[in-house]
Amino acid sequence: MKKVFSNTDEVIHVFAQQTQSEGRNSTRNIFFEGKKIYSYGYHYLLGEFINNGKSIVINDKGYSVTTSKHIGKLAYATNHYKQFYLTNIDIDNVYNEIAKDLINLGRARKPQIYLDSIFSLFNQLNEWIDYTKANKIKHKYLVKKSTRKYIELKNIVKELKENYSTFLSNLKETQKIAKETKRKKEIEQLKTALDKFNSYKTNFFRIGNFDYLRLSKDNTKVETSQGVKIEISEAKKLYLAIQNKIDIVGYKLGYYTINNINSKSLKAGCHNICIKNIGQIGNKLLTL
């Protein structure tokens, strides 16, 4: 019995025929043993026949280019069997994907896209649950309809189908409250971080959208909250140019180039410095 095949396609197609118990290609980046086929080692179970070989579970969680190709080839080679995809039967993944769709649904111009996605995900999960129950299949990703996450998803789908407008209104309000709560929390965190930064208790932080500046302890440099240091003379020269409304886009400051400046921030490389803070530090520079 031939066990080493010339290419990936041949390995996958032989596995799909279920006529022998093992096989691999010469580099062993694809191989099968019994009802299971692996991509690049035992750590990645690519596919597994279940229910006496009548159906297959395909692991479509792979992210590498080659593994993605393996997934596609296996899906094609086994399309004559009942197929289930791991992303659709793993309730944790389904739960997280529906949660993302709900966020998008609250701000979508075309909500039907996200409604269709939610209903499809839930229907495929139900198909898996009903199939495993009807065929008495034992599997790692077996789902019971009594679990908390399933009940939550069931209620969400029911509410969407029966009273979409009310659900959407409640969802938007919930998202609005969550956004405001997050904003207030960031303000408090930023205040604490700035206090530590300005008292030299920390040299690095990033909260929110902006970076910040301070004068070094010896007043010879301007320091950023990303740990970069600029000579006072260079910083003062730049600030005077800003004050005099000179176009500074493209201006070189040490290793950094000024990419953009507006009423809210100055962008230089990975830095997005708060314009109000620039004014505060700039006024101190003019006194030195």
mmCIF file of all heavy atoms in Angstrom, residues 194-202 214 217:
data_model
loop_
_atom_site.group_PDB
_atom_site.id
_atom_site.type_symbol
_atom_site.label_atom_id
_atom_site.label_comp_id
_atom_site.label_asym_id
_atom_site.label_seq_id
_atom_site.Cartn_x
_atom_site.Cartn_y
_atom_site.Cartn_z
ATOM 1 N N LEU A 194 -0.958 61.146 33.198
ATOM 2 C CA LEU A 194 -0.301 62.442 32.987
ATOM 3 C C LEU A 194 0.363 62.944 34.274
ATOM 4 O O LEU A 194 1.462 63.506 34.232
ATOM 5 C CB LEU A 194 -1.315 63.475 32.489
ATOM 6 C CG LEU A 194 -1.590 63.474 30.987
ATOM 7 C CD1 LEU A 194 -2.765 64.384 30.655
ATOM 8 C CD2 LEU A 194 -0.344 63.907 30.211
ATOM 9 N N ASP A 195 -0.299 62.724 35.399
ATOM 10 C CA ASP A 195 0.279 63.124 36.689
ATOM 11 C C ASP A 195 1.594 62.383 36.935
ATOM 12 O O ASP A 195 2.594 62.982 37.362
ATOM 13 C CB ASP A 195 -0.703 62.832 37.833
ATOM 14 C CG ASP A 195 -1.874 63.809 37.861
ATOM 15 O OD1 ASP A 195 -1.751 64.882 37.220
ATOM 16 O OD2 ASP A 195 -2.893 63.504 38.511
ATOM 17 N N LYS A 196 1.604 61.091 36.643
ATOM 18 C CA LYS A 196 2.824 60.291 36.829
ATOM 19 C C LYS A 196 3.905 60.708 35.835
ATOM 20 O O LYS A 196 5.084 60.787 36.185
ATOM 21 C CB LYS A 196 2.501 58.798 36.658
ATOM 22 C CG LYS A 196 1.701 58.198 37.791
ATOM 23 C CD LYS A 196 1.496 56.701 37.576
ATOM 24 C CE LYS A 196 0.750 56.079 38.730
ATOM 25 N NZ LYS A 196 0.539 54.617 38.543
ATOM 26 N N PHE A 197 3.488 60.966 34.601
ATOM 27 C CA PHE A 197 4.434 61.362 33.552
ATOM 28 C C PHE A 197 5.073 62.703 33.887
ATOM 29 O O PHE A 197 6.305 62.866 33.817
ATOM 30 C CB PHE A 197 3.694 61.434 32.215
ATOM 31 C CG PHE A 197 4.548 61.835 31.042
ATOM 32 C CD1 PHE A 197 5.595 61.032 30.602
ATOM 33 C CD2 PHE A 197 4.308 63.033 30.370
ATOM 34 C CE1 PHE A 197 6.380 61.401 29.516
ATOM 35 C CE2 PHE A 197 5.082 63.411 29.286
ATOM 36 C CZ PHE A 197 6.121 62.599 28.854
ATOM 37 N N ASN A 198 4.271 63.672 34.287
ATOM 38 C CA ASN A 198 4.778 65.016 34.574
ATOM 39 C C ASN A 198 5.572 65.096 35.867
ATOM 40 O O ASN A 198 6.339 66.036 36.072
ATOM 41 C CB ASN A 198 3.618 66.017 34.603
ATOM 42 C CG ASN A 198 3.025 66.247 33.224
ATOM 43 O OD1 ASN A 198 3.728 66.212 32.226
ATOM 44 N ND2 ASN A 198 1.711 66.459 33.155
ATOM 45 N N SER A 199 5.405 64.104 36.735
ATOM 46 C CA SER A 199 6.196 64.057 37.977
ATOM 47 C C SER A 199 7.364 63.079 37.840
ATOM 48 O O SER A 199 7.995 62.733 38.834
ATOM 49 C CB SER A 199 5.299 63.666 39.160
ATOM 50 O OG SER A 199 4.699 62.400 38.945
ATOM 51 N N TYR A 200 7.626 62.624 36.611
ATOM 52 C CA TYR A 200 8.759 61.753 36.267
ATOM 53 C C TYR A 200 8.713 60.389 36.970
ATOM 54 O O TYR A 200 9.735 59.773 37.215
ATOM 55 C CB TYR A 200 10.081 62.463 36.594
ATOM 56 C CG TYR A 200 10.207 63.788 35.904
ATOM 57 C CD1 TYR A 200 9.916 64.978 36.585
ATOM 58 C CD2 TYR A 200 10.575 63.883 34.567
ATOM 59 C CE1 TYR A 200 9.995 66.218 35.944
ATOM 60 C CE2 TYR A 200 10.650 65.113 33.919
ATOM 61 C CZ TYR A 200 10.349 66.270 34.606
ATOM 62 O OH TYR A 200 10.426 67.484 33.969
ATOM 63 N N LYS A 201 7.484 59.934 37.254
ATOM 64 C CA LYS A 201 7.325 58.609 37.850
ATOM 65 C C LYS A 201 7.202 57.533 36.767
ATOM 66 O O LYS A 201 7.328 56.338 37.058
ATOM 67 C CB LYS A 201 6.101 58.583 38.757
ATOM 68 C CG LYS A 201 6.259 59.448 40.006
ATOM 69 C CD LYS A 201 4.995 59.424 40.855
ATOM 70 C CE LYS A 201 5.152 60.316 42.079
ATOM 71 N NZ LYS A 201 3.901 60.363 42.884
ATOM 72 N N THR A 202 6.938 57.977 35.555
ATOM 73 C CA THR A 202 6.899 57.060 34.415
ATOM 74 C C THR A 202 7.393 57.799 33.185
ATOM 75 O O THR A 202 7.267 59.029 33.102
ATOM 76 C CB THR A 202 5.472 56.504 34.164
ATOM 77 O OG1 THR A 202 5.525 55.528 33.134
ATOM 78 C CG2 THR A 202 4.509 57.618 33.744
ATOM 79 N N ARG A 214 6.683 66.701 27.832
ATOM 80 C CA ARG A 214 7.115 67.340 29.077
ATOM 81 C C ARG A 214 8.537 67.823 28.882
ATOM 82 O O ARG A 214 9.242 67.378 27.952
ATOM 83 C CB ARG A 214 7.061 66.354 30.246
ATOM 84 C CG ARG A 214 8.162 65.296 30.197
ATOM 85 C CD ARG A 214 8.074 64.287 31.318
ATOM 86 N NE ARG A 214 9.148 63.291 31.206
ATOM 87 C CZ ARG A 214 9.191 62.149 31.873
ATOM 88 N NH1 ARG A 214 8.201 61.814 32.677
ATOM 89 N NH2 ARG A 214 10.213 61.320 31.724
ATOM 90 N N LYS A 217 13.999 66.857 33.289
ATOM 91 C CA LYS A 217 14.290 67.401 34.620
ATOM 92 C C LYS A 217 15.313 68.522 34.585
ATOM 93 O O LYS A 217 15.238 69.490 35.341
ATOM 94 C CB LYS A 217 14.784 66.278 35.548
ATOM 95 C CG LYS A 217 13.679 65.410 36.112
ATOM 96 C CD LYS A 217 14.252 64.430 37.128
ATOM 97 C CE LYS A 217 13.160 63.587 37.754
ATOM 98 N NZ LYS A 217 13.688 62.667 38.788
#
